[in-house]
């Protein structure tokens, strides 16, 4: 029985580390993509400004505006993903300070669910969770 418990703990610990590593890699990839999209967004803004300044055809200006709107949505989405992944890394760190990291993540996820799962609110929700009684009980038990 003790061997089974130790084996479970070993694999649970390493799966936590693996999840943290995968999240870190994903964060790096999204950051590179975000930088690329931000540069593309800036180039589209410059092209639109030049088209308006030179009084280009209305079709060209309309096309550039549509492209700019789509690029703005992509940049906003990538920024949200970046915030979320950064928060997830923090959650892994906080979870490692508890007896049961997966229970910690589940509890924080429930709190974030009450916020409508808004990526912009994840970090604030996580900080409130870590400052709360539930997290204190989880770390006290360790």
């Amino acid at each position: 029985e003790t061997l089974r418990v130790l084996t479970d703990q070993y694999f649970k610990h390493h799966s936590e580390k693996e999840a943290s590593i995968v999240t870190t890699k994903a964060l790096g990839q999204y950051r590179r993509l975000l930088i690329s999209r931000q540069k593309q967004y800036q180039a589209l803004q410059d092209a639109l400004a030049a088209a308006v300044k030179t009084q280009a055809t209305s079709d060209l200006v309309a096309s550039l505006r549509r492209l700019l709107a789509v690029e703005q949505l992509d940049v906003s989405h990538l920024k949200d993903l970046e915030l979320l992944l950064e928060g997830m890394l923090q959650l892994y760190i906080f979870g490692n300070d508890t007896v049961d990291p997966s229970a910690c993540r589940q509890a924080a996820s429930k709190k974030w669910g009450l916020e409508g799962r808004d990526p912009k609110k994840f970090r604030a929700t996580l900080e409130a969770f870590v400052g709360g009684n539930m997290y204190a009980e989880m770390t006290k038990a360790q």
Side-chain angles (χ1 to χ4, degrees):
E1 178 66 25
T2 304
L3 181 60
R4 187 184 63 75
V5 169
L6 289 174
T7 303
D8 287 347
Q9 287 175 348
Y10 174 82
F11 285 110
K12 191 175 192 179
H13 173 72
H14 284 287
S15 68
E16 297 286 329
K17 284 185 161 261
E18 182 68 25
S20 178
I21 290 168
V22 168
T23 303
T24 302
K25 286 179 181 179
L27 179 59
Q29 290 171 342
Y30 281 117
R31 280 185 176 156
R32 284 190 295 276
L33 186 57
L34 176 60
I35 290 167
S36 172
R37 292 298 187 142
Q38 285 173 327
K39 287 181 179 180
Q40 189 170 347
Y41 179 74
Q42 185 61 46
L44 280 170
Q45 282 182 321
D46 294 344
L48 179 61
V52 169
K53 187 176 181 180
T54 60
Q55 298 177 355
T57 64
S58 61
D59 289 343
L60 176 63
V61 171
S63 292
L64 285 172
R65 284 193 173 131
R66 281 193 302 274
L67 286 172
L68 192 63
V70 169
E71 200 63 36
Q72 185 179 20
L73 290 173
D74 286 346
V75 167
S76 176
H77 177 69
L78 288 169
K79 283 181 179 179
D80 286 349
L81 285 174
E82 182 182 39
L83 288 173
L84 183 60
L85 290 171
E86 286 173 347
M88 287 174 64
L89 287 174
Q90 286 297 113
L91 182 56
Y92 286 126
I93 292 168
F94 292 136
N96 286 338
D97 293 339
T98 66
V99 174
D100 188 357
S102 64
C104 176
R105 284 195 318 275
Q106 288 175 349
S109 179
K110 286 180 183 177
K111 294 263 186 209
W112 184 47
L114 296 173
E115 296 292 333
R117 298 210 179 277
D118 181 0
K120 292 174 182 71
K121 295 180 181 178
F122 186 75
R123 180 150 310 179
T125 302
L126 183 59
E127 289 172 0
F129 171 73
V130 169
N133 293 334
M134 184 182 293
Y135 183 76
E137 289 297 318
M138 289 178 165
T139 56
K140 188 186 300 180
Q142 189 170 1

